[in-house]
RNA sequence: GCCGGCGUGGCGGAACGGUAGACGCAACGGACUUAAAAUCCGUUGAGGGCAACCUCGUGCGGGUUCGAAUCCCGCCGCCGGUACCA
């Protein structure tokens, strides 16, 4: 293909227009208050998930989502919206730091090189970003505000009455008033334990290979998501964010969002709300009680033993002397067991008896208390009542240790008995006052019974855990926190940004001490206080970047109130109008960002409850072999190569033509050539070759009246592409453009006005080619078109032009197609039926039978229903 | 296991419950060319017929409907998420 003449000179055209957009600031977006800003226009904020600028460069998967949003942004500009369409870099992250550890090259150097390459690649595809708003999470001018938001979290607590965050000083004042005698130190400790950002000594996911702790979300199947290294649990002092307080709102407020059901389900699942009851069991001969959470209080009569998590604080107290040694041994074994093993052996139940016995509150029965690692300290109360007849895990455990199984719920219409496990709903038996009740009723009844006696209450639990927020890394935001002995406090705002010290050895210490701890003169303050040496996780910067884009140059505030109100307010409940990105962020990024946003909302810093009103997940772009693209498979497509061979417009168009945006689909080199040829056909509608190198305005172009048929195709194209673009059905929009071009190609003399109208429609999709052709036509036919398309109004279509005089009506017999007849549009039923009766085919097919019923759909079809066999 | 999504020609994919297969790719035929490429014009779900046409066809089995790729029930297969969450 190298020697072949190009379909059109895309290389010159694309470079020319990209330079033009850059030098004339075409896509610079004004903020309210700036000269020239037009407040009368509606706003539209269309956002991509900004990339981590990896060393591998831009991926065709990035290009898919970015092209989609770019088409929407360009379309909206032509519809008269003020469009915010920004781009930036989520540039803190492990790869740059790992590279630094290996080579000694500072992560900043690596990061700068990578971002420069990404920026260059994106510009070569012609995305209409407002580059003046570009942000970089590693820029002190940016992370200053990430640190500032952390201080807001640190300075707040969750007020359960208001179901919202409030400043911590309010809590302090209230506590002081209520507990006048309390010492300052105790008061402080009490308040500190309630901050949204707090310190906890908790079992964490420690990854020795990476030398850092990881969030639950960063651990998959017992190994780190990055690198796949073994992760073990060990107790460490860490910063945590109290996201669990927001579990209810994060789940409930998902409802009104215009997000794919699958993503909502994923988040709901992650938050994991369960409704049930908490029940308190007394202990035989011991003052303590065991509280459990259950979703099946109706099975309480079937509880035959209890299980505490091995780490449960009560274990120590209640274990009988005879069992002490075994319990100790078991607890140690579990504690040292790496997570990987704990998962591998998941189906093998293990545990030991404590010797203690608990009293079942409903029947006074004494049942043994065990410890077992299938009960997790981190969920519910860390203790369960075991009902082997109606819970599979309990059933397995009971079988392994010979514990009794007592059926108390029977499936409707079956006899009681049997030693199997039944987890469904049914009717209670052997359950005292619950006997005969169907499951839902029994749940209600027993909960009420427990509540009346102060033995339990209805309860809601969430799977969601608090967010482990500190990392033992160099390449992240330092915490704006200083320690005075055991006391911590936030830095004053005036000291932000807190910059990390420069370093030449980036290795973690291996024992949980972060690299920053090595820089003594940074850590140690003159007054004896010490800086926090952990850094924030990579998620921090992406939790609020969409806000910064509204006002990225602001040096006084994270975003001005005016800019936030304008760009984030608006349609329905507000926020980003369209957010496009991959499913890999369905739970982590999207949940964290929603959490921060809600805190900022509670504190009055933003005006919307949710950040992202409408979310779309683009599907995976697979290799030509239908497998995920990967170096090892050798099926990776580099966007640069595609741009070099076929041009940016072809790359854009192909990625949109492959199939529905949200669906995964394989790459096809042939497919790229197909759209490349299509763009060549568009070019040749207006241009013809002149000599070896040049192109001239085509002699077949003229300022002539289009035929009604051609005009109809044009208007249909304007209508369909407009509608499909709005619905993000880009593949069918492009198909319609192809239909138009096929029609136009057949015209002997091509009406130039029809062509210029079409170029508006093509413009969001293939901006370079359309601008170039329009500019050339503008020169050749002055007065017929504006000089530039980017902001020129989207053309209008006319219903009258679309109207057809004659329609084809389908004639069916019993739903089967038998004939088609042509009739004037809008023909009444009687006229249509007359023609149907005249049809030979229909007469033959009816063979004398009379229609029992006639279904008539105007301008579409007639269905004759005839009785069974023959009349 | 559970939760989501998807099964339509040789391939990517179109089809408000109303003509299944738009558009593109591939393939085949023709025009142009000394020739090829490029381009332009056709054909192309399967089976049958010289033909006009006929029959069958949207993973499988049922159902609702005048009419189902589309809605409902039950399976099968693939992809993604999740996993002792009481």
């Amino acid at each position: 293909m190298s020697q072949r003449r190009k379909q059109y000179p895309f290389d010159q055209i694309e470079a020319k227009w990209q330079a033009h957009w850059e030098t004339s600031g075409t896509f610079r977006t004004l903020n309210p208050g700036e000269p020239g800003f037009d407040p009368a226009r509606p706003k539209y904020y269309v956002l991509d998930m900004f990339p981590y600028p990896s060393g591998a460069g831009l991926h065709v998967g990035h290009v898919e989502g970015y092209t989609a949003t770019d088409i929407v942004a360009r379309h909206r500009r032509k519809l008269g919206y003020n469009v915010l369409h920004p781009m930036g870099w989520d540039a803190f992250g492990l790869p740059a730091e790992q590279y630094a550890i290996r080579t000694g090259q500072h992560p900043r150097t690596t990061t700068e090189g990578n971002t420069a390459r990404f920026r260059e690649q994106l510009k070569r595809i012609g995305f209409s970003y407002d580059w003046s708003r570009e942000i970089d999470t590693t820029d002190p001018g940016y992370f200053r505000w990430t640190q500032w938001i952390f201080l807001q979290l640190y300075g707040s607590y969750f007020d359960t009455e208001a179901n919202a965050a409030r400043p911590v000083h309010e809590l302090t004042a209230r506590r002081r008033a209520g507990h006048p005698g309390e010492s300052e130190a105790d008061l402080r400790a009490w308040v500190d334990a309630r901050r949204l950002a707090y310190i906890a000594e908790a079992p964490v996911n420690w990854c020795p290979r990476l030398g850092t702790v990881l969030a639950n979300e960063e651990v998959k199947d017992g190994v780190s998501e990055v690198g796949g290294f073994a992760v073990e649990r060990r107790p460490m002092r860490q910063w945590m964010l109290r996201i669990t307080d927001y579990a209810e709102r994060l789940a409930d407020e998902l409802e009104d969002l215009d997000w794919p059901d699958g993503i909502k389900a994923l988040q709901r699942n992650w938050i994991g709300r369960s409704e049930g009851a908490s029940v308190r069991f007394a202990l035989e001969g011991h003052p303590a009680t065991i509280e459990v959470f259950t979703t099946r209080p109706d099975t309480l009569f079937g509880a035959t033993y209890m299980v505490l998590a091995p780490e449960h604080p009560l274990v120590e107290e209640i274990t009988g002397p005879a069992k002490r040694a075994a319990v100790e041994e078991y607890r140690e074994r579990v504690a040292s067991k790496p997570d990987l093993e704990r998962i591998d052996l998941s189906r093998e139940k293990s545990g030991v008896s404590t010797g203690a016995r608990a009293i079942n509150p409903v029947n006074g029965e004494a049942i043994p208390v065990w410890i077992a690692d299938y009960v997790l300290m981190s969920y519910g109360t860390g203790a369960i009542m075991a009902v082997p007849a109606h819970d599979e895990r309990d059933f397995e455990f009971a079988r392994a240790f010979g514990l009794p199984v007592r059926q108390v719920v029977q499936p409707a219409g079956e006899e009681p008995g049997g030693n199997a496990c039944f987890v469904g709903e049914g009717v209670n038996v052997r359950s005292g006052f619950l006997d005969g009740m169907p499951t839902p009723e029994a749940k209600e009844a027993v909960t009420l019974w427990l509540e009346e006696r102060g033995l339990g209450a209805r309860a809601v639990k969430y799977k969601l855990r608090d967010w482990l927020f500190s990392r033992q890394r160099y390449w992240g935001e330092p915490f704006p926190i200083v320690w005075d002995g055991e006391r911590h406090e936030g830095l004053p705002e005036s000291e932000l940004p807190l910059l990390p010290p420069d370093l030449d050895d980036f290795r973690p210490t291996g024992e949980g001490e972060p690299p920053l701890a090595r820089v003594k003169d940074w850590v140690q303050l003159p007054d004896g206080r010490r800086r926090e040496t952990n850094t924030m996780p990579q998620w921090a910067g992406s939790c609020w970047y969409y806000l910064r884009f509204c006002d990225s140059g602001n040096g006084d505030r994270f975003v001005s109130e005016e800019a936030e109100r304008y760009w984030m307010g608006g349609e329905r409940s507000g926020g980003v109008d369209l957010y496009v990105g991959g499913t890999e962020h369905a739970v982590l990024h999207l949940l964290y960002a929603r959490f921060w946003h809600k805190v900022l909302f509670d504190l009055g810093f933003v005006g919307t409850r949710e950040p992202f009103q409408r979310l779309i997940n683009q599907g995976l772009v697979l290799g030509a072999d239908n497998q995920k693209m990967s170096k090892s498979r050798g099926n990776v497509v580099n966007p640069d190569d595609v741009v070099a061979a076929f041009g940016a417009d072809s790359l854009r168009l192909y990625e949109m033509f492959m199939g529905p945006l949200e669906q995964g689909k394989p790459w096809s080199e042939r497919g790229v050539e197909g759209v490349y040829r299509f763009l060549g056909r568009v070019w040749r509608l207006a241009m013809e070759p002149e000599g070896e190198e040049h192109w001239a305005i085509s002699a077949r172009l003229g300022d002539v009246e289009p035929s009604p048929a051609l005009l109809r195709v044009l208007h249909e194209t304007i209508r369909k592409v407009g509608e499909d673009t709005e619905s993000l059905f880009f593949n069918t929009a492009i198909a319609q453009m192809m239909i138009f071009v096929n029609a136009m190609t057949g015209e002997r003399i091509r009406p130039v006005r029809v062509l210029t109208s079409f170029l508006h429609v093509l413009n969001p999709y293939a901006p370079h080619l359309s601008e170039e052709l329009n500019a050339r036509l503008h020169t050749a036919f002055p007065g017929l078109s504006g000089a530039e398309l980017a902001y020129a109004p989207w053309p209008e279509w006319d219903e009258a032009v679309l109207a057809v005089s004659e329609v084809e009506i389908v004639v069916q017999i019993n739903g089967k197609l038998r004939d088609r007849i042509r009739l004037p549009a809008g023909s009444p039923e009687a006229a249509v039926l007359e023609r149907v009766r005249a049809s030979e085919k229909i007469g033959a097919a009816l063979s004398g039978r009379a229609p029992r019923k006639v279904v008539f759909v105007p301008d579409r079809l007639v269905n004759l229903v005839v009785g069974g066999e023959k009349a």
Side-chain angles (χ1 to χ4, degrees):
Chain A
M1 117 122 249
S2 49
Q3 292 309 307
R4 199 193 300 164
R5 183 183 185 122
K6 288 191 176 70
Q7 289 273 345
Y8 69 101
F10 59 81
D11 47 344
Q12 295 159 36
I13 292 173
E14 290 175 0
K16 170 186 157 184
W17 284 95
Q18 285 161 20
H20 169 77
W21 294 329
E22 179 119 25
T23 53
S24 30
T26 308
F27 301 114
R28 166 102 165 75
T29 303
L30 300 176
N31 261 8
E34 284 189 74
F37 174 80
D38 182 357
R41 291 167 180 268
K43 70 96 184 181
Y44 199 79
Y45 185 177
V46 49
L47 181 67
D48 295 301
M49 289 185 187
F50 66 161
Y52 172 73
S54 75
L58 199 69
H59 185 272
V60 288
H62 291 121
V63 177
E64 185 190 23
Y66 299 168
T67 303
T69 54
D70 195 59
I71 288 167
V72 170
R74 287 174 178 274
H75 181 229
R76 291 277 171 167
R77 282 189 202 101
K78 290 177 76 62
L79 292 176
Y81 285 77
N82 284 327
V83 172
L84 180 57
H85 186 43
M87 182 41 79
W89 320 109
D90 186 17
F92 277 128
L94 212 41
E97 179 156 341
Q98 297 289 83
Y99 187 73
I101 291 168
R102 283 202 310 277
T103 65
Q105 182 173 83
H106 197 286
R108 170 153 308 286
T109 314
T110 315
T111 303
E112 276 170 4
N114 290 348
T115 52
R117 168 138 185 249
F118 264 73
R119 190 186 301 111
E120 172 65 18
Q121 288 181 302
L122 292 177
K123 286 188 175 176
R124 284 235 286 158
I125 302 172
F127 294 130
S128 62
Y129 294 123
D130 176 358
W131 286 104
S132 74
R133 292 173 186 258
E134 177 181 348
I135 57 179
D136 176 344
T137 54
T138 69
D139 179 350
Y142 181 87
F143 71 66
R144 164 188 185 171
W145 299 109
T146 310
Q147 291 171 330
W148 178 85
I149 294 172
F150 175 80
L151 287 178
Q152 306 313 307
L153 288 154
Y154 179 75
S156 307
Y157 76 105
F158 193 80
D159 180 348
T160 47
E161 299 277 300
N163 198 20
R166 303 290 310 155
V168 125
H169 62 78
E170 290 181 8
L171 184 66
T172 310
R174 199 138 30 96
R175 177 73 180 183
R176 191 170 278 134
H179 296 73
E182 192 172 45
S183 75
E184 277 304 303
D186 286 353
L187 171 64
R188 202 184 169 90
W190 187 87
V191 169
D192 280 350
R194 281 157 184 80
R195 294 174 184 271
L196 290 184
Y198 65 100
I199 287 276
E201 176 97 19
V204 299
N205 305 300
W206 166 252
C207 177
R209 255 316 271 291
L210 293 174
T212 183
V213 293
L214 300 170
N216 288 327
E217 291 84 343
E218 293 169 306
V219 181
K220 290 250 150 74
D221 300 328
V223 300
S224 63
E225 199 172 26
V226 177
F229 303 123
V231 171
E232 56 194 55
R233 288 190 88 73
R234 56 149 88 170
M236 285 175 75
R237 292 185 88 198
Q238 299 292 335
W239 284 98
M240 308 284 289
L241 297 188
R242 213 177 284 286
I243 191 172
T244 50
D245 283 343
Y246 280 83
E248 187 189 333
R249 278 169 61 186
L250 286 168
D252 290 352
E253 288 165 18
L254 212 45
E255 293 307 320
D256 298 328
L257 296 178
D258 187 5
W259 287 21
D261 288 340
I263 301 301
K264 284 190 184 182
L266 237 43
Q267 285 220 352
R268 222 176 276 120
N269 208 27
W270 191 265
I271 296 165
R273 178 191 156 93
S274 339
E275 277 179 46
S278 60
V279 186
R280 228 173 33 248
F281 284 69
L283 283 156
E284 206 174 57
H286 199 283
T289 57
I290 299 176
E291 186 169 319
V292 302
F293 172 72
T294 176
T295 54
R296 293 295 300 272
D298 56 302
T299 62
L300 195 44
F301 283 90
T304 53
Y305 64 100
M306 300 192 77
V307 186
L308 301 181
E311 309 93 328
H312 198 287
L314 228 44
V315 173
E316 201 96 357
E317 275 181 61
I318 65 168
T319 302
K323 306 285 185 179
R324 193 155 294 270
V327 164
E328 272 317 305
E329 196 257 340
Y330 183 73
R331 293 179 86 182
E332 267 165 46
R333 211 172 77 218
V334 168
S336 63
K337 210 196 278 184
D339 263 16
L340 199 57
E341 196 179 319
R342 215 164 149 167
I343 286 159
D344 275 354
L345 300 174
S346 61
R347 294 296 148 205
E348 286 293 312
K349 292 282 183 290
S350 69
V352 293
S353 167
T354 62
R357 301 213 299 169
I359 308 298
N360 188 332
V362 286
N363 57 12
E365 198 177 341
I367 54 178
V369 179
W370 287 62
I371 66 172
D373 68 355
Y374 82 92
V375 173
L376 309 173
M377 194 57 225
S378 50
Y379 181 76
T381 60
I384 62 159
M385 63 176 206
V387 186
H390 305 293
D391 182 282
E392 271 172 42
R393 297 151 300 183
D394 297 344
F395 184 70
E396 274 173 42
F397 191 83
R399 270 216 306 220
F401 292 95
L403 292 158
V405 177
R406 184 192 304 151
Q407 191 185 17
V408 292
V409 179
Q410 59 169 307
E414 276 183 38
E415 291 300 306
N419 249 18
C421 178
F422 168 66
V423 298
E425 299 202 338
V427 175
N428 273 71
V429 293
R430 292 199 285 242
S431 298
F433 64 94
L434 299 179
D435 278 350
M437 290 187 192
T439 300
E441 199 182 312
K443 281 183 179 174
E444 281 295 312
V446 72
T447 307
L448 206 65
W449 189 94
L450 291 165
E451 277 174 348
E452 279 166 359
R453 286 158 186 78
L455 296 167
R458 70 193 64 241
V460 174
K461 295 286 176 200
Y462 297 92
K463 279 203 289 192
L464 188 68
R465 315 284 159 83
D466 273 344
W467 178 9
L468 177 72
F469 194 67
S470 42
R471 298 290 183 278
Q472 292 68 51
R473 291 182 194 160
Y474 172 72
W475 194 230
E477 301 88 346
F479 280 82
I481 292 286
V482 289
W483 289 83
D484 186 359
E486 288 297 296
R487 280 175 44 178
H488 48 75
E489 61 189 338
L491 283 182
E493 270 181 46
S494 58
E495 289 185 31
L496 301 182
L498 170 63
L499 302 175
D502 257 326
L503 226 63
D504 42 24
D505 181 0
F506 303 97
R507 283 173 305 154
T509 60
E511 275 312 309
E513 274 289 281
L516 292 184
R518 272 205 289 266
V519 192
K520 297 280 182 269
D521 56 350
W522 182 82
V523 173
Q524 199 67 55
L525 298 182
D527 59 7
R529 297 183 305 163
R530 297 168 58 83
R531 290 196 193 281
E532 169 66 50
T533 56
N534 282 293
T535 55
M536 299 186 201
Q538 188 179 357
W539 309 108
S542 58
C543 272
W544 71 284
Y545 75 112
Y546 57 93
L547 292 170
R548 188 62 179 170
F549 276 137
C550 298
D551 194 16
S552 64
N554 197 325
D556 303 323
R557 207 167 185 277
F558 74 116
V559 55
S560 79
E561 283 185 61
E562 198 182 13
E564 192 277 329
R565 210 176 310 121
Y566 182 73
W567 292 115
M568 293 296 290
E571 291 180 24
R572 283 192 278 177
S573 52
V576 172
D577 298 282
L578 176 65
Y579 193 25
V580 175
T583 344
E584 66 273 21
H585 294 120
V587 272
L588 311 184
H589 158 61
L590 286 170
L591 198 62
Y592 295 153
R594 292 180 63 219
F595 165 48
W596 278 35
H597 193 89
K598 287 180 187 304
V599 175
L600 291 171
F601 172 78
D602 290 349
L603 300 177
F605 290 114
V606 298
T608 59
R609 307 184 76 90
E610 285 284 339
F612 313 118
Q613 183 52 41
R614 183 178 180 205
L615 174 77
I616 298 289
N617 282 120
Q618 86 251 28
L620 225 47
V621 178
L622 304 168
D625 55 359
N626 233 315
Q627 298 292 307
K628 201 167 166 169
M629 282 192 191
S630 75
K631 255 193 189 138
S632 58
R633 287 201 186 86
N635 60 355
V636 177
V637 177
N638 181 345
D640 292 345
D641 298 342
V642 181
V643 171
F646 305 106
D649 284 335
S650 293
L651 173 63
R652 295 169 59 108
L653 212 61
Y654 174 63
E655 293 220 22
M656 295 300 99
F657 187 58
M658 291 168 84
L661 179 64
E662 296 183 74
Q663 193 174 298
K665 53 241 158 203
W667 187 268
S668 154
E669 175 86 6
R670 298 286 200 177
V672 189
E673 285 192 52
V675 293
Y676 172 59
R677 275 203 294 268
F678 163 70
L679 291 176
R681 283 160 67 83
V682 173
W683 175 257
R684 288 191 305 274
L685 287 179
M687 309 300 296
E688 58 189 25
E690 188 183 60
E692 285 294 297
E693 298 275 312
H694 292 94
W695 294 86
I697 292 284
S698 169
R700 290 175 64 186
L701 207 56
D703 187 9
V704 297
E705 279 301 309
S707 69
L710 182 67
L711 199 62
R712 186 157 62 236
V713 176
L714 172 68
H715 280 241
E716 177 62 14
T717 303
I718 296 169
R719 186 190 64 81
K720 182 153 175 66
V721 174
E723 286 173 6
D724 284 359
T725 302
E726 211 151 310
S727 319
L728 313 183
F729 298 157
F730 304 115
N731 55 331
T732 49
I734 293 166
Q736 181 61 39
M737 290 193 257
M738 288 172 168
I739 290 171
F740 169 85
V741 170
N742 290 343
M744 191 75 165
T745 301
E747 297 284 312
R748 267 193 307 280
I749 296 298
R750 290 147 187 170
V752 66
R753 290 168 199 263
V754 169
L755 183 55
T756 52
S757 288
F758 170 72
L759 292 177
H760 283 273
V761 171
L762 179 64
N763 178 252
Y765 289 78
H768 311 88
L769 172 65
S770 54
E771 288 284 11
E772 178 67 18
L773 280 179
N774 182 68
R776 290 187 185 218
L777 292 175
H778 178 69
T779 309
F781 297 84
L784 284 196
S785 71
E788 212 171 321
L789 297 171
Y791 288 90
W794 183 261
E796 293 189 2
W797 53 275
D798 184 353
E799 191 77 59
V801 173
L802 288 182
V804 285
S805 56
E806 206 184 41
V807 293
E808 187 178 76
I809 293 181
V810 170
V811 186
Q812 299 176 333
I813 295 178
N814 288 344
K816 278 191 181 261
L817 175 69
R818 291 299 151 172
D819 199 7
R820 306 154 211 253
I821 54 181
R822 295 201 67 87
L823 280 168
S827 295
E829 182 169 358
V832 175
L833 287 182
E834 195 176 319
R835 280 287 304 279
V836 168
R837 275 191 288 272
S839 159
E840 279 175 37
K841 284 183 195 169
I842 295 301
L846 281 176
S847 60
R849 293 173 301 182
R852 178 160 56 83
K853 182 178 171 185
V854 174
V855 179
F856 175 70
V857 182
D859 285 351
R860 288 208 74 105
L861 69 73
V862 173
N863 188 14
L864 306 177
V865 185
V866 298
E869 291 309 298
K870 266 207 149 179

